[in-house]
């Protein structure tokens, strides 16, 4: 993540791509409660991917720090909602398929890095390395969710609309707590 004053590469997302109802910035205005659980997770994964791309294209340390802060909030909330609501229900509904799934500690390792980055400044010696590792972990998590977890959830008999509404409500609650200064 080397900062430059040059024009960002052409594969960098435009800022307007990030202004969707599912981004952390727009989330304070409300989370789409009409999405089923799988669509909600896909939207969160897309948002994380776009934020990672924008972080890689940041021209200044301040811009990178802003994107990293958004990534940290988005991932922390995504992980908490998934761990509290989505994973336990999918595991219970499809225990055999879930056990066949590759075990990983994406959330645990990424959450550790998120905590470190939330307490670091972009000029710290290890900041750039931590951002790079977090980007890799989240990219791996996105691939794993899309290839392994979401297909298991789709094949289950779970009511994804109801689960999506519960997840959206929890996400709204967590984001509201964060905006009030209560870190969940």
């Amino acid at each position: 993540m080397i900062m430059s004053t040059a024009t960002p590469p052409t594969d960098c997302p435009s800022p307007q791509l990030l202004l969707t109802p599912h981004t952390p910035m727009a989330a304070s205005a409300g989370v789409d409660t009409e999405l089923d659980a799988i669509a909600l997770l896909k939207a969160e994964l897309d948002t994380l991917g776009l934020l990672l791309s924008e972080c890689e294209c940041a021209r200044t340390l301040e811009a990178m720090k802003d994107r990293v802060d958004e990534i940290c909030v988005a991932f922390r909330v995504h992980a908490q909602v998934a761990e509290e609501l989505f994973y336990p229900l999918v595991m219970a509904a499809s225990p055999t398929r879930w056990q066949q799934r590759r075990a990983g500690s994406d959330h645990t390792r990424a959450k550790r890095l998120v905590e470190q980055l939330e307490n670091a400044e972009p000029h710290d010696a290890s900041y750039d390395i931590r951002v790079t590792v977090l980007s890799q972990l989240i990219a791996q998590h996105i691939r794993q969710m899309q290839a392994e977890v979401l297909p298991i959830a789709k094949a289950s008999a779970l009511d994804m609309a109801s689960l999506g509404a519960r997840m959206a409500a929890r996400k709204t609650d967590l984001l509201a707590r964060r905006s009030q200064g209560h870190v969940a």
Side-chain angles (χ1 to χ4, degrees), residues 44-143:
E44 289 175 357
L45 297 175
D46 289 347
T47 296
L48 283 167
L50 286 170
L51 289 169
L52 289 170
S53 294
E54 189 174 81
C55 184
E56 290 173 6
C57 298
R59 294 187 223 177
T60 66
L61 288 176
E62 293 78 23
M64 185 172 84
K65 174 71 171 149
D66 289 344
R67 291 298 79 78
V68 168
D69 290 346
E70 288 184 69
I71 291 165
C72 289
V73 170
F75 186 79
R76 206 181 259 277
V77 170
H78 161 79
Q80 187 167 346
V81 170
E83 290 169 1
E84 288 177 4
L85 300 171
F86 185 77
Y87 294 148
L89 289 174
V90 173
M91 285 190 316
S94 304
T96 304
R97 288 194 69 201
W98 190 267
Q99 288 173 353
Q100 293 170 350
R101 171 187 168 273
R102 196 177 75 232
S105 57
D106 293 350
H107 280 189
T108 304
R109 291 172 39 212
K111 286 191 298 189
R112 258 187 255 132
L113 276 171
V114 162
E115 188 174 312
Q116 292 169 5
L117 285 166
E118 287 173 333
N119 296 312
E121 292 299 322
H123 53 77
D124 292 348
S126 63
Y127 190 85
D128 195 52
I129 293 168
R130 287 179 178 155
V131 170
T132 300
V133 172
L134 180 63
S135 294
Q136 292 168 349
L137 285 173
I138 291 176
Q140 175 183 329
H141 173 70
I142 291 170
R143 287 189 302 275

Side-chain angles (χ1 to χ4, degrees), residues 134-182:
L134 180 63
S135 294
Q136 292 168 349
L137 285 173
I138 291 176
Q140 175 183 329
H141 173 70
I142 291 170
R143 287 189 302 275
Q144 186 177 22
M145 287 288 291
Q146 292 170 338
E148 299 175 19
V149 177
L150 296 180
I152 293 171
K154 282 181 188 177
S156 75
L158 289 171
D159 177 355
M160 290 297 161
S162 173
L163 179 54
R166 289 177 50 207
M167 290 170 62
R170 181 64 174 137
K171 181 177 178 179
T172 299
D173 177 56
L174 291 172
L175 291 169
R177 289 169 150 273
R178 284 188 160 282
S179 69
Q180 296 169 355
H182 307 322

